[in-house]
């Protein structure tokens, strides 16, 4: 049964961060057949690429042109730099609104633990037992050593949604976060079955700086748009997406 919202936000908008240096490193590693991403910094410190910064500014311009009843009144962001910077750069266009970004660790990227920075080829070559375990357990419940499964991320998301039921009545809440987090919000808010969620993940690539919107209709938050790239489509900023699931490393840098 879908969760009921007798109180809470008027709307909930999930924004994926702009293109990051990690996204670029993932693309390069996949193209080269490399086992490891060429990244030195920890995941929390991965920066936006130049394209990602352009995307964040384009998103901000689009937000500024929305009608007053659609603009954010509350902004929460993952503390990971690529998401935090996307939020701050986008909100520059709304400087007069006095919005402050509140960082919430529950919006952070999924922790890949001991497999961080490894490509699919790297995992199969260096940790074949983990590749086999993931295949057996399935993507949603597979937990890398010292890392998180999608189910773990869903637990974080449920905690945040519980908090939003109190003290946010009528607010328009925008969350700047990461791909896996957005997918788990869909899983929770729409009561999507595991198999259907994974099929959706195979079929839809959530673009950088894309927007997923829910609006409160009666007692439910109803999906209005998913992975919407209107902000970029109307700007000179380049649109970027993850590779198809069969080709990507499952990292969301």
């Amino acid at each position: 049964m879908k969760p009921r919202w007798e109180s809470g936000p008027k709307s909930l908008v999930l924004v994926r961060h702009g293109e990051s240096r990690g996204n670029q490193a993932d693309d390069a590693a996949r193209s080269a057949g490399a086992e490891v991403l060429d990244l030195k910094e920890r995941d929390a410190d991965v920066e936006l690429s130049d394209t990602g910064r352009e995307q964040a500014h384009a998103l901000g311009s689009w937000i500024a042109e929305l009608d007053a009843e659609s603009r954010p009144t509350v902004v929460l962001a993952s503390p990971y730099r690529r998401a935090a910077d996307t939020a701050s750069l986008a909100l520059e266009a709304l400087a007069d609104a006095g919005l402050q970004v509140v960082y919430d660790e529950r919006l952070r990227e999924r922790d890949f633990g001991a497999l961080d920075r490894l490509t699919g080829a790297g995992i199969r070559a260096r940790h074949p037992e983990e590749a086999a375990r993931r295949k057996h357990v399935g993507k949603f419940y597979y937990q890398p050593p010292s890392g998180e499964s999608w189910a773990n991320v869903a637990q974080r998301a449920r905690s945040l949604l519980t908090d939003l039921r109190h003290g946010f009545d009528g607010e328009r809440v925008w969350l700047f976060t990461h791909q896996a987090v957005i997918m788990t919000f869909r899983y929770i808010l729409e009561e999507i079955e595991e198999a259907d969620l994974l099929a959706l993940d195979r079929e839809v690539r959530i673009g950088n700086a894309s927007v997923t919107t829910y609006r409160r209709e009666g007692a439910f938050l109803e999906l209005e748009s998913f992975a919407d790239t209107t902000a970029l489509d109307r700007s000179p900023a380049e649109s970027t997406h993850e590779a198809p699931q069969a080709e990507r490393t499952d990292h969301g840098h």
Side-chain angles (χ1 to χ4, degrees):
M1 180 181 296
K2 291 169 61 175
R4 297 180 64 87
W5 290 77
E6 306 300 343
S7 62
K10 178 180 180 181
S11 61
L12 186 67
V13 179
L14 306 166
V15 182
R16 189 184 177 210
H17 62 79
E19 184 191 61
S20 70
R21 301 287 187 189
N23 293 143
Q24 293 179 327
D26 186 70
D27 287 343
R30 179 168 46 84
S31 297
E35 295 183 0
V36 183
L37 274 62
D38 184 17
L39 283 176
K40 306 304 180 188
E41 61 268 52
R42 62 177 186 159
D43 195 21
D45 297 328
V46 172
E47 299 181 9
L48 291 173
S49 66
D50 290 341
T51 295
R53 295 179 69 84
E54 291 173 3
Q55 291 169 340
H57 284 299
L59 178 64
S61 297
W62 176 74
I63 295 172
E65 294 178 8
L66 294 175
D67 63 79
E69 289 302 307
S70 297
R71 295 176 198 156
T73 58
V74 174
V75 178
L76 306 179
S78 160
Y80 280 27
R81 185 165 181 178
R82 54 195 180 276
D85 286 354
T86 299
S88 61
L89 291 172
L91 293 183
E92 287 179 0
L94 298 176
D96 294 341
L99 288 171
Q100 290 188 327
V101 180
V102 177
Y103 302 110
D104 194 308
E105 291 77 10
R106 290 171 292 185
L107 291 171
R108 73 186 186 276
E109 176 62 286
R110 182 163 75 94
D111 189 342
F112 295 95
L115 305 185
D116 189 34
R117 303 187 209 179
L118 292 180
T119 64
I123 294 170
R124 290 188 292 272
R126 303 182 184 201
H127 301 280
E129 73 288 352
E130 290 301 323
R133 189 164 70 90
R134 183 186 186 280
K135 183 176 181 180
H136 174 70
V137 173
K139 179 174 181 175
F140 189 80
Y141 289 107
Y142 171 69
Q143 184 175 356
S146 303
E148 293 180 296
S149 66
W150 275 36
N152 295 140
V153 176
Q155 290 175 322
R156 293 198 252 124
R158 289 187 190 279
S159 171
L160 178 54
L161 286 169
T162 296
D163 286 354
L164 289 177
R165 293 175 185 274
H166 308 286
F168 293 88
D169 202 32
E171 299 283 5
R172 299 182 295 276
V173 179
W174 286 53
L175 309 177
F176 287 76
T177 185
H178 308 263
Q179 176 169 305
V181 181
I182 294 171
M183 294 301 292
T184 55
F185 267 89
R186 289 208 59 179
Y187 169 76
I188 296 165
L189 292 173
E190 300 170 53
E191 284 290 301
I192 298 176
E193 296 287 339
E194 175 191 355
D196 294 334
L197 181 72
L198 297 182
L200 182 65
D201 183 58
R202 289 192 296 271
E203 295 164 4
V204 180
R205 295 180 292 169
I206 302 178
N208 294 109
S210 65
V211 174
T212 296
T213 301
Y214 288 88
R215 296 201 184 278
R216 194 162 147 201
E217 301 289 346
F220 300 99
L221 283 172
E222 301 289 353
L223 182 68
E224 182 177 274
S225 66
F226 175 48
D228 183 8
T229 57
T230 299
L232 301 187
D233 296 341
R234 60 189 290 279
S235 80
E238 178 186 358
S239 292
T240 54
H241 301 78
E242 298 289 359
Q245 186 193 58
E247 300 176 17
R248 67 180 187 244
T249 64
D250 197 29
H251 286 194
H253 297 285

